[in-house]
């Protein structure tokens, strides 16, 4: 059976998928890498993180299913565009097609005043969070997404206004994409509504995991 890789966002760690996995019927083939760990001590730039992710996926035999939230969705999308022959399906949750520069600037201002302790439950420490964000601000996949041919599921929380436009864009510009909006849910779908997310993923994979 093909492996499924669930990639967390920058504000969380691999364990953020635990609740979602608990609601899925078949989770034994799911891998949840920790993004800071796969960097293996290298500087937390997007270039290094993506290279580490490529290496991680390359160690898995055969095709893979990719499922990413936020930053994880960006990595999954980037990989699916660069290695289409390796990706069986793609799930994007609250992922932007283009990194919103204004929002990143506002986020960085807020982060600047937060104590280091706040970042303990996030993927990266304070310094690395700033560094990663600054190396991502020019990412734009809006034109390339039309090249995605594999079955894709686009998920967005109804309250995630920042990423709703991208979700609609993905669903309209990817040939085999389906859009699902989860009600009463914000950006961090896997923690805010793990039950509904788990059920959606189970249904999607039951149709594509062959």
């Amino acid at each position: 059976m093909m492996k499924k890789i669930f990639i967390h966002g920058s504000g969380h760690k691999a364990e953020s998928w635990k609740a979602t996995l608990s609601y899925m019927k078949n989770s034994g083939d799911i891998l949840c890498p920790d993004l800071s760990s796969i960097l293996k001590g290298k500087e937390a730039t997007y270039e290094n993180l993506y290279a580490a992710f490529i290496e991680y996926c390359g160690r898995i035999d055969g095709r893979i299913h990719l499922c990413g939230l936020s930053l994880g969705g960006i990595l999954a999308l980037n990989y699916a565009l660069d290695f289409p022959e390796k990706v069986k399906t793609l799930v994007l949750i609250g992922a932007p097609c283009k990194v919103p520069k204004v929002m990143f600037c506002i986020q960085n201002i807020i982060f600047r005043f937060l104590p280091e302790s706040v970042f303990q439950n996030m993927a990266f420490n304070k310094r690395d969070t700033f560094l990663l964000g600054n190396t991502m601000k020019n990412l734009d996949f809006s034109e390339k997404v039309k090249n995605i041919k594999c079955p894709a599921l686009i998920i967005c929380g109804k309250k995630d206004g920042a990423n709703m436009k991208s979700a609609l864009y993905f669903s309209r510009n990817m040939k085999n994409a389906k859009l699902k909006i989860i009600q009463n849910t914000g950006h961090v779908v896997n923690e805010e509504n793990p039950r509904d997310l788990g059920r959606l993923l189970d249904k999607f994979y039951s149709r594509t995991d062959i």
Side-chain angles (χ1 to χ4, degrees), residues 154-187:
I154 312 301
I155 298 174
C156 191
K158 180 68 174 181
K159 297 179 180 179
D160 187 7
N163 291 292
M164 184 61 71
K165 186 176 180 180
S166 286
L168 294 170
Y169 184 85
F170 285 138
S171 67
R172 293 167 182 165
N173 288 278
M174 290 182 183
K175 184 178 180 180
N176 297 307
K178 299 294 183 183
L179 175 64
K180 293 294 182 180
I181 306 299
I182 300 183
Q183 301 298 318
N184 303 312
T185 306
H187 179 58

Side-chain angles (χ1 to χ4, degrees), residues 55-89:
E55 181 182 354
Y56 178 88
C57 293
R59 294 197 298 267
I60 300 172
D61 293 333
R63 301 176 74 189
I64 54 178
H65 299 272
L66 292 180
C67 172
L69 185 150
S70 196
L71 169 61
I74 292 174
L75 289 168
L77 175 60
N78 202 159
Y79 188 88
L81 287 166
D82 289 347
F83 303 93
E85 73 287 348
K86 181 76 173 179
V87 180
K88 173 67 175 179
T89 66

Side-chain angles (χ1 to χ4, degrees), residues 46 71 74 99 104 131-140:
Y46 181 76
L71 169 61
I74 292 174
V99 172
F104 259 60
L131 178 59
L132 180 62
N134 287 331
T135 58
M136 291 178 61
K137 59 186 178 182
N138 292 318
L139 293 178
D140 185 354

Side-chain angles (χ1 to χ4, degrees), residues 61-158:
D61 293 333
R63 301 176 74 189
I64 54 178
H65 299 272
L66 292 180
C67 172
L69 185 150
S70 196
L71 169 61
I74 292 174
L75 289 168
L77 175 60
N78 202 159
Y79 188 88
L81 287 166
D82 289 347
F83 303 93
E85 73 287 348
K86 181 76 173 179
V87 180
K88 173 67 175 179
T89 66
L90 178 65
V91 178
L92 301 178
I93 307 170
C97 60
K98 179 180 181 180
V99 172
K101 293 183 180 180
V102 174
M103 183 176 296
F104 259 60
C105 288
I106 294 174
Q107 177 178 277
N108 280 348
I109 292 173
I110 295 174
F111 282 173
R112 193 175 301 279
F113 293 98
L114 296 177
E116 184 68 44
S117 59
V118 172
F119 295 82
Q120 291 179 357
N121 294 320
M122 296 174 64
F124 305 96
N125 61 32
K126 188 172 183 175
R127 175 186 176 278
D128 288 347
T129 297
F130 276 103
L131 178 59
L132 180 62
N134 287 331
T135 58
M136 291 178 61
K137 59 186 178 182
N138 292 318
L139 293 178
D140 185 354
F141 301 99
S142 53
E143 289 300 318
K144 295 180 180 180
V145 299
K146 298 175 182 178
N147 297 322
I148 297 290
K149 306 299 182 185
C150 66
L153 177 62
I154 312 301
I155 298 174
C156 191
K158 180 68 174 181

